[in-house]
Structure formats: structure tokens, C-alpha cells
Amino acid sequence: MSKWKMKEIVVMSVLSVVFAVVYLAFLPVGKLLVGFFGPIGYDVIFGIWFIVSIIAAYIIRRPGAAFLSETIAAIIEVMLGNAVGPMLIITGMIQGLGAEAVFAATRYRMYNVWVLMAAGMGSAVFSFVWGYFLSGYAALATTYVATMFVARLISGAVIAGLLGKAISDALAKTGVLYNFALGKEHRRNKHGAA
Amino acid sequence: MAPHDKPLIEVHQLTLHYEEARTPTLNGIDFCLSHGETAMLLGSSGSGKSTLTYCLNGLYPGELDGTLKGKRYYYGVPYEKFEAGELSQRVGVVFQDPESQFCMLTVEDELAFGLENLQTPPDIIMEKVDWALEMVGLSDVKEAEISTLSGGMKQKLALACVLAMEPELLILDEPTSLLDPHARNSFIDTVIRLQKQKGFALLIIEHNLNEWLPYAERCLMMNRHGEIFYDGSITQGFLQHYETIRSEGIWIPELFRTAQELSDHDLIELGEEFPVRLESLAGKISTDSVSRKWKESPPKMPKAKSDKSHLYLQNVCYKHILEDITTEIKEGEWAAIVGANGAGKTTLSLLMAGLLDATSGNIHLNNKVMADYRDHWLWKEIGYVFQNPEHQFVADTVFDEVSFGLRLQRVPEEVVTEKTNQLLKRYGLFAHADRHPYTLSQGQKRRLSIATMMVEHQSLLVLDEPTFGQDEQAAKVIIDLLEQRNQAGTTLVMVTHDMELVNQHADHVLVMEKGKLAFEGTPAQLWQKNNRWLAHHHLQKPFRVRLEEAVNEREDHHELTGTQS
Amino acid sequence: MNLQELNPSMKAITIILAVFLLAFVFDPITPLLFSSGVVTLTFLFGRVSLKSWSLYFVPFLIIAFGFFWTTLLFGDVGSKEGNMVTIGFVTFSEADLQVALSLSLRVLSFALLSLMFILTTNKTGFLLSLMQQLKLSPKIAYGVLAGYRFLPMMMTEWKAIRMAHRIRGLRRGKGISGRVQEMKRYVIPLLASAIRKAERTAIAMESKGFTGSKERTFYRQMKITLQDWVFLGVMLSLYGISVYCSVRWGYFQWYDGQL
Ligand SMILES: Nc1ncnc2c1ncn2[C@@H]1O[C@H](COP(=O)(O)OP(=O)(O)OP(=O)(O)O)[C@@H](O)[C@H]1O
Ligand SMILES: Nc1ncnc2c1ncn2[C@@H]1O[C@H](COP(=O)(O)OP(=O)(O)OP(=O)(O)O)[C@@H](O)[C@H]1O
Ligand SMILES: [Mg+2]
Ligand SMILES: [Mg+2]
């Protein structure tokens, strides 16, 4: 933590604030899908709720970015008023830990597409296990649970991993990430290509 | 530490190179600042003034991505010897952007934040918070949320936060750019009064230093290479380096400019230095010499006047913000909207551009009710330049940004390329065609946002503070472009706090007061109003009008005393 | 007792604990009794205005109702035995009804608990107490506060960007790729300007002497007092009473994974 620059922390929390709002906005969408397709409806879009870990980690590239950003997003959701209340903070921490574990496994050195997708899947695994106990998927048929799990994995990889990367890269292109790890990488690539 | 035998700040051969920048931003800077001294730091936009600020309060090199060379001393002690955060207390900074220098939700908490960092005990924090709020006149909003304050109040709050920490040096980075003329004067009064009380040193960065002149003796001037090319008395410096300053794009105070022009016409003797007060310039000239000189200067080019109504507002109200506004803007007119901070100028301009819908009342464009226009037709009729240019960028490169409108019209690609390049050249943006609009400097962004509005041939252009935060050169480019469009028949409506701009260019002025239209007429008619009325509306007469009045007054006074004796 | 004056961290912990405890139970009576207690407490000791409470509560009510009917229709309990109930066109078993009621009341009770927290807690106070009682790092706590300030700012920016696009002649995107393009044009400028501002804010914070060190004084001291323990006690007793009644009336059921 002491190595972090203040601007990295504030930028991370601003990202968390933005995505906390996005998270809240997607809750009714999830509810609607659940209404149509049953519990699996949530899993299809579940990746959206991990996206800030991927974006923050990919931009800032420091140990803890994935975990902290997801936790902060959860704290903000609680401050804004969320159905789950303070409990959500714990859920956020667990999701963040999932992505963090993947980045830690690369010793915070690799940030390519595959790692980002794997991080999204990491969050999916952790959150699924947590949800399994909390919401009691135990009551559902095993094949159904397995399908839910796969859906959530794919969603984590695609929505959190790929979309998260796309958003961050688009941001880097604007030049505002000039002083952050991702911005520096973009500049290097540009110079390398030129 | 025995403080006062060493200068407060001493900087030696300071050179700063941002990573990836081709040239250093600061280049061998040398200067001293003594205890309790006041100095202005001048330089064109992007010359490195804010960067120097960060070096002086110890933020750099900690937060810097790049290299910093040279020596910095605080009362003779090298900067490196201080603990993290210690210098931040002793050197207080009010930053450029009032939106983004707070981190707490309420006024009170924000003030306490700095003091907590210094580990001040809570009961003393309480006292200091009250004191600082009292000083800047914000006691009434102690418990308010910061997001509900107006721009001017935020700038005052930023000052209070720094004052509460009792700095030995106070740096103000363009602290008044968003303020109306009246608020600007009272801000300056507050700062100067406090300096007398507390004895801190002051370093002021400002583009437009008209109002600071009587209070600042010394100035440092930076050029585009990040070097200080002058350090000394303001009045002498401007005289000696007049041409350099002009080519650097630094704003020349109206007082100096006028004195220089008068002296060029041999109407006054300048001597060694420029006068710093209007009265002393007025003392040197006579009424007929002034009017002679200004009659000589070419009058504004006559425009083809039209009596056709372009925009007609009839009893327009908008929520609780605007009340019963009726006015008419003629085709080809250049109209200005002025008034105090928060009077409703921006809101009115948005209504005029059809971007907000009136709560009640009608707006007619070309004698047709605005609501009857289809949304996608309106943008061919009206252009709008937002106060924040970043908002209106929609493409990834400067080139695409300008050609965007043409492509929407399905113009053939060769024509698009040709037209766009031509425009970019004209606006000095051709070299940056491939860059992302966000990476341009503030002045370039502003020009780009205006350029994007120029590719269409809208007959009405509405601009919100088109020259704010620009250096003189950038502002001039913008104004010239607008003047050209206006000559070609485009109707212009601009919101501004700049009375000189109003005086020199507008045909029609609207004064807003608390959501109502308080006055409407030509600039000359507006300046006829008495000073009480103008002060009440937070306006100020332009420099030349004030000068003429001062000259007349002096002569009247002379005549009076003459008859008495 | 005044809910507004409770220590926010203790209040949060108490409420999380209550959620946990409720999560173990799956019957309609326990959450119903517990929620009535919570609502009573909120209004008696929370000085919460009915208007703002309803503003938050109505969406939750709708969600709970959604849970209710979806469970009734799609629930996989699926028992077609026992007493059948008919409402309008649909018929279902009493057992299904009980599951649906339990689930929606459970959701509602979670919501009421968090409303009790949200409407009686000052946001700054919450973070201050996370720092003072739960030893959250000041760097993060103040970073979050700074970020939170951006919300109203971004609302204004969003509106400005929308207007700017209108004036540039952009029309609503058609089809999926058009929609994606449109989102991109909104989201990227919004995030970009937020990042810029965040950078400047961070610099301003440091220039006010903020180093992130834990050695700092606090203008607002957050303390844990007797009140906080009383509140914990009250909530636990409320739970106890609710469970007891439910058992007495024969509804009580542990949660074993019904959906
Ligand atoms: N963090 C940074 N990283 C890289 N370059 C920077 C950074 N900050 C500023 N610059 C560049 O350094 C130059 C000086 O910037 P600075 O903000 O000091 O100018 P300024 O004199 O304060 O201008 P203005 O009057 O417009 O505020 C500019 O060209 C700017 O683009
Ligand atoms: N969206 C809004 N909701 C509520 N009040 C608003 C809104 N926008 C502006 N106001 C209020 O309306 C008044 C007029 O605002 P406006 O931005 O038009 O002022 P202005 O004259 O442009 O001021 P300035 O010179 O500071 O830019 C202000 O008091 C402002 O607080
Ligand atoms: Mg600057
Ligand atoms: Mg305005």
C-alpha cells in the first residue's frame, strides 16, 4: 500500500464509484433475466459485476488493485443504497479476491488478454462458491448448477475480461492514462511500432 | 532555525523533464523569494507555471514521472531534508481547477482535513475552521455540501483551506479565472488584507493581471522554453520587454497597453516605467488627446445590418432558474450575455441553442417556433461551444473530429479531406491532426471545439465563455475567427465575464440578474449606467471607459479648483 | 437511543450479523416479525422521514413482489400435493405459497435492515469510523471520499455530453453496433475526464499535507459507547423473539437451500 501513489488510489476509487453506479443499474437487468430464464439469468451477465477489478488492475498494475477496487465499489454501493446492505461489502471482497488471486499467480507481471480473461473467471469461481453457500444452489439439480457455473465463467471471461480490456484500451488512447502503467505501455508500443 | 537571514525560497538551476516530453518543461530556473514578499509569475499557457508550483511545494519529485535536477532551499535548508508533507504545510497552494481540489463532502470537513494532517488537536481545529471561514466570508455555509457551492465560492473555500494551515508562502494558481469582475476584486482584497495581517509571502500566477497591478511590485516571466527571462519590477519589465512579451503571448494589462499606444502616438511621455494605477495614467493625458487617439484607431468594420429577427424569446421561464425573459436577437448581430456568477447566463444560452426546453414561454428561430424544428435539423442551424471543450469531442483524432460534421452530410471523401486540412491549417492545428483531442493543450482544445463548429454553416453560434483560461495569443486567434464569421453574416451569442471583449465586439448586451433580464442595449448604453448599478450587477466598465471618465473627472476638478483660486 | 448517533462501524457489524442470522432461517414468520421490529426501530429512533424512506422502500417492495410471483410460477419445489390455492387463473400448492412468501419476506427484511443503516448513517461518519475503529488505511478512506464527491459532478457531465452530441448532429445509434458506438461515445469521455480530475484531486490532497500516515488527529472523533452495545442487544433479542414466536406457531424452518 505504501508504494501506491496517491493519484493511483484516487483514480482507482473514482473508477469504483463509476462502476458502483453501473453495478446498481445492472441489478434490475439481472432481475429481469432471472424472471425470464430462472436463476441462470444472473449468471449470463454476472461478469459485469467484476469489471472494475479487471479495469483497475489492468490500468494501475499494482498488487491489491483488483481486490481493493471491487471492495470500494461495494462500499460505494452500500453508501448509495443497495438492497443487500453492508453485507455486500463482503461479497465484493470475495469477488475481488478471485481476480486478485489470478494476478498474484502471475506475480503481477503479465497483463495480456488471457490473464485478464482468467482474472474474470477467477472472480466467477470465487463468487460462485460464495453464492453456493449463501443462496443455497444446493437445492438445484447438479446439471443445472453446472450450467450456471459455466455461464458465469464465460460471462466473467467475456464481460469482465474482454470488455474491461476494451474500455481500458479506449481510455489509454485518449492519453489521460499518461501517468499510469497502462498509458506507459501504450506509448512504448506506439514507439515500438513507429 | 533562525529564519530571516536566509531567503524563504531559493531555487538554483531547476530543470524538470517530464518523461516522454521532447524538451524540458522547466529549464535552469533561478530565483529567490523573501519572507513576506509578493511576486507575480507570468507566462503563456503551457509554459510550465503550474509545474513550477509543484516543485516549490515539494510535491515533485515524489509525484513526478520524469526527472528533476537543480537545488531548492527553504530558509537555507535543502528540500530533501524535510519530512514528507512538512513543506506542504509551509507552502500552501490554491490550484487552478476549483472543481478538483477537494476530497471531503462538506465545507467544514474539508477545512479540517488539512489540519488533521498536521495532527492539530480537535479543539484547535474547531477554532481555526471558524476563523478561516470568517476570513473569506463563508461562515454561512459551514455545514453545506461542497457540490452545492458556486464556482466563486469554491475558489474562496480553497483559499480558506490553505489559510487555515497558516502557510509561510501562499501560491495562487489562476485563482480568479471563473469569477465575475466584482467577485474578482473582492477576492483580491481578501488576499491582500490577510497578507497584511499574517505576513505570508505571495506568489501569484495569473493570465490577466489587471486587478493585481497595484499590489505586486515584482514579477517573474517565463517563456515557452521554460526559462525565466525576466525577474524584477513589473512596470519596468513590461516596458523593456514589451515586444518579447507580446510574441510570448503573455497578456498585457490594459493599462500598459493603452499607455504604450498613447506613447507610440507621442501623446504621453512614459519615462522609465509604466504607471500601475489608472489615475496616474489619467493624470498624464487630456480629454482631447484621448479622444483624438481613439478616433484615429479604425472603427469596427460596418456590417450589413439586418432587421430580421433571428432569435426571439417570449416570456421564457426555465424551472426556478430563469424568469420571464423576453428578448430579440437580430440576424447578423453579435450579442453578449453578462452578469454575476450564478445569474443564469449559461442556462439562458443553452435555451437559446435549443439544448434545454423552456418550462414555459416560446422561443422562435427565424420566426418559427423552436419546438417545431426536428432535432436533427436544429444542429444545422445552430452551433454551440461548451465551456468545457472536452465534452463535445466525439472522435479519436483531431482530423476526424473536424471532418465529423462533413461526413455526416455525406460529402465526398476528397472534399472532406481538403476542407478539413484547410481548416486545420487555419486554426494552427494541422501539425496535431493525428493526436487524440484530449491530449491537446487547453488553448488548442478550445480552438478545436470552435473549429468543429465552423465546418457547418450554421447561421447562429452560441459560445459559453470562449476565451476563459487562454493566453493572449490564443484568445486573439479565437476572437479573430469569430469576427470573420460575424462579418460573413453569422449571428453570435456569447457568455462572458470579459468586459473588454464586450466593449470591443458586441453590438447587443444582455445583463442577467438572478434569472431575470436586468438590462438590454448596446455596450455604450450599458456604460452609461452609474457605478452603483454596475457594481450591483457585478459588472465593471471596460478600461477605456474608466480611463476617459478619470480624465474627465480630473479636468472637471481642475476647472473647479481653477475657478476657486 | 438514537440510531443517527450510533457508531457506524458497530451499526454495520450489527446489521451484517443480523443478515447472517436471518439467512439461516427460511420461513415467513421470522422475517415478518423481525422486519416489523426493524421498521418500528427505524421510525422510533432513527428520525427518518417517511418520504425518503418510502422512496427507497417502494423499489424493494416491487423486487420482493417479483421474487414472490416468479417463485410461485417457476419455483422448483414444484409440489403439486397438499392444499391447493387458486388466485385468478393460477393454481398452486400451499407449500409453494409458503416458499414464495418466505423468500420474498426474506428479501424484504434484508432490504429493511439496510434501509435502517443507510438512512441513519452519515457517509463521512461511516468512513471515519471505518478508519478509527476498523483500522482502514487513511489512504483508502480518503481516496473513497474523494471519489464519492465525483458522483454529482459526473451527473452534470453526463448531461453536458448528451447535449454536446445533440449539437453535433449525432443521432441515437441503430442496431447493436450503433448502440455500442453510442455507449462508447458517452462512457469514454466521462471516464477520461473523471480520471483527469482524480489526478488533480490527488495532487491537491497531498499538497494539504496528506501523506497517508496513520498518525493524524480527527476533528470528528468516532467512539463506541454503551448505546452501541444496547443496539446490538436489542437486535439480537428481536431476532430471538422472532424465532421463538415462529417456533411456537409451528412455522420455523432452517434454511437448507430452497430457492
Ligand atoms: N504530469 C505531466 N506529465 C507530462 N507532461 C505534463 C504534465 N503536466 C504538464 N505537462 C506539460 O508540461 C507543460 C507545462 O504545463 P503546465 O501545466 O505547468 O503549464 P502552465 O504554464 O500552468 O499552463 P496554463 O497557463 O495553461 O495553466 C505543458 O506542455 C504540459 O502539457
Ligand atoms: N441543473 C441544475 N439544477 C439546479 N440548479 C441549477 C442547475 N444548473 C444551474 N443551476 C443554478 O442556476 C443558477 C444559474 O446557473 P448558471 O450556470 O446559468 O449561471 P451562470 O450565470 O452561467 O454562472 P457562472 O458565471 O458562474 O458560470 C445557479 O444558481 C445554479 O446554481
Ligand atoms: Mg497552469
Ligand atoms: Mg456559466
Side-chain angles (χ1 to χ4, degrees):
Chain A
M1 202 69 235
S2 53
K3 269 198 184 161
W4 284 62
K5 290 191 176 177
M6 197 62 210
K7 64 186 170 203
E8 291 170 332
I9 294 183
V10 180
V11 164
M12 177 179 74
S13 69
V14 166
L15 287 173
S16 304
V17 169
V18 175
F19 285 97
V21 176
V22 174
Y23 289 2
L24 285 175
F26 267 88
L27 278 178
V29 178
K31 300 240 157 69
L32 205 75
L33 289 174
V34 172
F36 279 116
F37 304 113
I40 200 169
Y42 262 131
D43 296 284
V44 176
I45 58 159
F46 220 102
I48 195 78
W49 287 293
F50 316 138
I51 199 166
V52 79
S53 332
I54 308 295
I55 294 181
Y58 183 46
I59 290 179
I60 299 172
R61 306 194 175 179
R62 284 197 191 272
F67 170 70
L68 283 171
S69 56
E70 196 66 49
T71 308
I72 294 174
I75 294 180
I76 305 270
E77 273 184 275
V78 172
M79 282 161 79
L80 288 173
N82 179 292
V84 193
M87 189 70 181
L88 189 77
I89 299 178
I90 296 175
T91 309
M93 288 166 116
I94 287 173
Q95 296 177 353
L97 274 179
E100 191 69 43
V102 173
F103 291 118
T106 71
R107 298 224 212 110
Y108 302 101
R109 294 225 181 100
M110 271 162 31
Y111 290 90
N112 57 31
V113 184
W114 305 113
V115 172
L116 295 183
M117 284 169 77
M121 288 157 88
S123 288
V125 173
F126 275 54
S127 83
F128 198 84
V129 172
W130 170 243
Y132 190 88
F133 288 117
L134 199 72
S135 330
Y137 301 145
L140 300 168
T142 321
T143 44
Y144 194 77
V145 175
T147 324
M148 281 170 72
F149 182 59
V150 172
R152 193 175 296 191
L153 272 183
I154 295 176
S155 168
V158 173
I159 300 188
L162 289 183
L163 183 64
K165 182 172 170 9
I167 292 177
S168 318
D169 285 337
L171 270 175
K173 234 166 137 188
T174 67
V176 295
L177 298 178
Y178 199 85
N179 292 319
F180 297 85
L182 177 62
K184 287 181 185 159
E185 185 189 82
H186 262 246
R187 281 205 309 272
R188 270 199 305 275
N189 291 347
K190 222 165 137 186
H191 288 291
Chain B
M1 216 177 321
H4 305 315
D5 52 341
K6 288 267 171 49
L8 174 68
I9 287 224
E10 191 178 344
V11 173
H12 189 63
Q13 284 299 314
L14 195 70
T15 298
L16 182 143
H17 207 137
Y18 281 115
E19 200 183 335
E20 296 286 322
R22 245 175 265 135
T23 52
T25 302
L26 299 179
N27 209 342
I29 302 243
D30 273 304
F31 76 95
C32 293
L33 198 69
S34 313
H35 182 80
E37 195 179 355
T38 304
M40 312 276 315
L41 176 60
L42 310 176
S44 61
S45 166
S47 56
K49 304 182 296 295
S50 303
T51 306
L52 182 60
T53 308
Y54 301 144
C55 296
L56 293 183
N57 85 337
L59 270 176
Y60 284 174
E63 277 291 312
L64 171 71
D65 288 297
T67 54
L68 179 67
K69 285 193 217 111
K71 297 208 166 62
R72 296 168 296 167
Y73 301 97
Y74 194 87
Y75 280 135
V77 184
Y79 267 48
E80 294 72 31
K81 292 255 166 73
F82 287 90
E83 296 226 359
E86 194 182 344
L87 276 169
S88 310
Q89 179 213 344
R90 302 175 134 212
V91 181
V93 185
V94 173
F95 290 96
Q96 217 164 349
D97 178 12
E99 278 302 327
S100 54
Q101 51 185 305
F102 305 118
C103 62
M104 302 292 281
L105 299 177
T106 69
V107 170
E108 184 183 13
D109 287 332
E110 185 62 43
L111 270 157
F113 174 72
L115 295 166
E116 290 172 354
N117 294 333
L118 305 178
Q119 304 185 33
T120 316
D123 45 327
I124 299 186
I125 295 186
M126 207 113 67
E127 281 167 27
K128 288 195 175 179
V129 167
D130 287 334
W131 172 81
L133 286 175
E134 175 102 39
M135 278 297 134
V136 299
L138 287 181
S139 301
D140 295 346
V141 292
K142 184 175 170 189
E143 285 165 22
E145 291 204 2
I146 296 177
S147 58
T148 64
L149 302 185
S150 80
M153 285 161 110
K154 281 183 193 150
Q155 285 183 324
K156 284 189 176 169
L157 174 59
L159 178 65
C161 287
V162 172
L163 284 175
M165 295 171 74
E166 306 202 348
E168 289 159 325
L169 167 63
L170 181 60
I171 303 180
L172 305 175
D173 194 351
E174 297 186 34
T176 63
S177 55
L178 289 171
L179 299 185
D180 62 55
H182 184 269
R184 183 173 309 158
N185 283 324
S186 76
F187 183 94
I188 293 172
D189 283 347
T190 310
V191 171
I192 297 299
R193 185 162 44 86
L194 284 169
Q195 188 192 22
K196 291 222 174 83
Q197 242 179 56
K198 294 274 164 187
F200 47 76
L202 255 179
L203 183 66
I204 301 149
I205 300 173
E206 190 88 88
H207 279 304
N208 204 332
L209 59 160
N210 286 336
E211 285 83 6
W212 290 101
L213 279 182
Y215 308 109
E217 237 302 284
R218 177 176 164 202
C219 78
L220 304 164
M221 298 192 209
M222 282 177 81
N223 63 17
R224 294 184 195 279
H225 307 295
E227 296 155 344
I228 290 192
F229 69 91
Y230 178 81
D231 178 358
S233 137
I234 294 188
T235 48
Q236 287 170 11
F238 268 89
L239 198 60
Q240 285 162 18
H241 297 275
Y242 198 79
E243 282 313 313
T244 323
I245 291 170
R246 260 193 32 188
S247 63
E248 280 292 329
I250 298 173
W251 275 104
I252 295 167
E254 286 303 318
L255 188 60
F256 294 179
R257 185 194 313 278
T258 311
Q260 180 71 36
E261 283 173 10
L262 289 170
S263 137
D264 287 347
H265 287 78
D266 291 325
L267 292 170
I268 56 167
E269 278 293 320
L270 271 180
E272 290 295 295
E273 53 183 29
F274 280 124
V276 290
R277 283 178 191 279
L278 187 98
E279 292 75 23
S280 47
L281 178 62
K284 293 186 182 175
I285 46 183
S286 60
T287 326
D288 33 304
S289 70
V290 175
S291 47
R292 189 145 41 89
K293 151 77 181 70
W294 280 326
K295 278 201 194 90
E296 274 170 19
S297 59
K300 237 183 113 175
M301 267 210 276
K303 283 185 293 198
K305 270 254 169 188
S306 155
D307 272 339
K308 264 177 72 188
S309 157
H310 198 163
L311 199 60
Y312 177 57
L313 283 76
Q314 190 181 29
N315 307 106
V316 168
C317 300
Y318 182 75
K319 291 192 183 155
H320 60 282
I321 301 174
L322 295 183
E323 233 177 278
D324 196 30
I325 292 189
T326 301
T327 183
E328 185 180 46
I329 309 249
K330 298 255 165 39
E331 233 167 54
E333 224 171 29
W334 187 326
I337 305 177
V338 298
N341 288 122
K345 305 181 293 295
T346 299
T347 313
L348 179 61
S349 70
L350 289 170
L351 278 162
M352 286 177 162
L355 288 170
L356 290 177
D357 295 322
T359 316
S360 68
N362 285 313
I363 303 179
H364 299 259
L365 183 70
N366 296 322
N367 293 318
K368 194 170 146 191
V369 180
M370 185 99 85
D372 290 350
Y373 283 84
R374 284 290 209 62
D375 225 24
H376 56 277
W377 274 107
L378 216 50
W379 64 271
K380 294 197 173 168
E381 301 284 333
I382 306 175
Y384 190 93
V385 174
F386 287 82
Q387 169 140 21
N388 181 350
E390 288 186 4
H391 287 158
Q392 70 194 74
F393 296 149
V394 293
D396 285 341
T397 69
V398 171
F399 184 92
D400 289 346
E401 192 62 47
V402 176
S403 55
F404 187 84
L406 296 170
R407 289 192 175 137
L408 269 189
Q409 298 171 23
R410 309 206 181 287
V411 177
E413 197 58 32
E414 319 84 77
V415 183
V416 169
T417 313
E418 194 199 310
K419 256 190 151 172
T420 307
N421 281 338
Q422 192 188 339
L423 256 166
L424 287 176
K425 276 181 197 143
R426 222 157 101 207
Y427 292 65
L429 293 170
F430 187 64
H432 309 299
D434 293 332
R435 286 172 66 181
H436 196 286
Y438 277 67
T439 62
L440 298 176
S441 86
Q442 202 60 29
Q444 290 165 335
K445 270 185 217 158
R446 180 43 107 205
R447 290 208 295 282
L448 177 60
S449 67
I450 293 179
T452 56
M453 283 300 137
M454 299 280 184
V455 283
E456 326 285 350
H457 293 278
Q458 302 100 333
S459 51
L460 173 65
L461 265 183
V462 184
L463 309 110
D464 197 354
E465 312 213 12
T467 57
F468 128 88
Q470 305 287 323
D471 61 38
E472 182 161 319
Q473 246 170 21
K476 190 163 180 328
V477 172
I478 292 172
I479 295 302
D480 287 350
L481 294 168
L482 292 177
E483 185 68 50
Q484 278 171 22
R485 271 301 282 270
N486 191 229
Q487 294 293 341
T490 305
T491 310
L492 298 177
V493 177
M494 68 174 178
V495 175
T496 186
H497 286 306
D498 184 348
M499 298 298 134
E500 310 300 330
L501 192 57
V502 173
N503 193 39
Q504 285 161 25
H505 295 281
D507 316 304
H508 182 175
V509 191
L510 308 171
V511 179
M512 296 291 297
E513 184 200 6
K514 297 202 182 111
K516 293 200 199 89
L517 199 56
F519 166 90
E520 192 173 3
T522 63
Q525 283 166 342
L526 177 59
W527 315 137
Q528 302 281 314
K529 293 272 180 187
N530 65 38
N531 287 333
R532 273 249 314 277
W533 190 91
L534 290 170
H536 175 72
H537 293 87
H538 286 208
L539 302 176
Q540 193 181 30
K541 290 178 186 171
F543 179 78
R544 291 195 171 175
V545 177
R546 274 182 288 150
L547 182 63
E548 269 180 78
E549 277 180 6
V551 172
N552 288 337
E553 205 171 285
R554 184 181 52 90
E555 286 182 353
D556 290 352
H557 188 71
H558 265 279
E559 273 165 31
L560 264 174
T561 45
T563 47
Q564 268 168 5
S565 61
Chain C
M1 193 166 67
N2 182 345
L3 294 181
Q4 314 255 7
E5 283 167 14
L6 293 181
N7 183 288
S9 296
M10 273 294 280
K11 196 162 41 173
I13 291 174
T14 307
I15 284 175
I16 290 182
L17 187 67
V19 170
F20 255 115
L21 290 174
L22 275 178
F24 283 113
V25 182
F26 200 82
D27 68 56
I29 295 301
T30 314
L32 184 67
L33 289 179
F34 190 79
S35 306
S36 348
V38 168
V39 175
T40 317
L41 284 177
T42 309
F43 281 104
L44 273 186
F45 300 107
R47 287 203 238 119
V48 170
S49 89
L50 185 63
K51 204 178 136 207
S52 56
W53 184 84
S54 324
L55 212 67
Y56 277 97
F57 182 62
V58 169
F60 288 139
L61 201 61
I62 296 169
I63 291 172
F65 184 71
F67 267 89
F68 178 70
W69 74 262
T70 42
T71 320
L72 267 189
L73 296 186
F74 306 114
D76 85 332
V77 186
S79 54
K80 295 277 177 276
E81 296 145 30
N83 293 333
M84 300 303 277
V85 190
T86 308
I87 302 176
F89 305 102
V90 281
T91 309
F92 36 78
S93 69
E94 227 168 49
D96 271 357
L97 182 66
Q98 189 177 339
V99 170
L101 265 181
S102 308
L103 188 66
S104 45
L105 281 172
R106 177 184 159 105
V107 169
L108 214 55
S109 67
F110 289 171
L112 287 168
L113 271 172
S114 49
L115 274 193
M116 174 155 85
F117 179 80
I118 290 156
L119 293 176
T120 64
T121 309
N122 172 294
K123 275 135 202 156
T124 315
F126 181 37
L127 278 162
L128 286 177
S129 122
L130 282 181
M131 226 178 337
Q132 293 176 31
Q133 271 79 47
L134 300 185
K135 303 295 167 213
L136 179 69
S137 136
K139 253 187 167 169
I140 298 181
Y142 285 102
V144 173
L145 273 173
Y148 195 76
R149 269 206 69 239
F150 277 64
L151 270 183
M153 231 141 71
M154 285 193 305
M155 296 293 179
T156 336
E157 297 230 322
W158 178 271
K159 279 185 204 148
I161 292 172
R162 215 173 51 199
M163 287 195 246
H165 287 180
R166 248 173 85 185
I167 208 76
R168 295 295 301 274
L170 279 173
R171 278 194 259 163
R172 308 223 53 180
K174 289 201 197 81
I176 289 190
S177 83
R179 275 308 181 80
V180 169
Q181 279 300 318
E182 190 186 346
M183 275 317 282
K184 194 179 153 204
R185 274 198 300 266
Y186 277 97
V187 171
I188 299 301
L190 205 64
L191 279 176
S193 89
I195 287 174
R196 256 168 212 280
K197 288 208 175 101
E199 239 184 303
R200 280 182 229 143
T201 305
I203 286 191
M205 284 165 77
E206 292 201 307
S207 84
K208 282 183 187 148
F210 184 71
T211 53
S213 120
K214 292 208 164 156
E215 276 156 40
R216 57 186 289 114
T217 50
F218 287 103
Y219 177 53
R220 295 179 197 276
Q221 308 259 359
M222 311 302 286
K223 292 202 180 77
I224 295 179
T225 60
L226 185 64
Q227 276 196 45
D228 296 299
W229 298 110
V230 170
F231 178 64
L232 180 66
V234 168
M235 294 301 278
L236 288 180
S237 337
L238 184 60
Y239 180 77
I241 294 169
S242 313
V243 170
Y244 176 75
C245 293
S246 173
V247 172
R248 275 295 288 268
W249 299 336
Y251 284 96
F252 186 80
Q253 236 180 45
W254 289 110
Y255 179 57
D256 55 4
Q258 298 94 328
L259 189 88

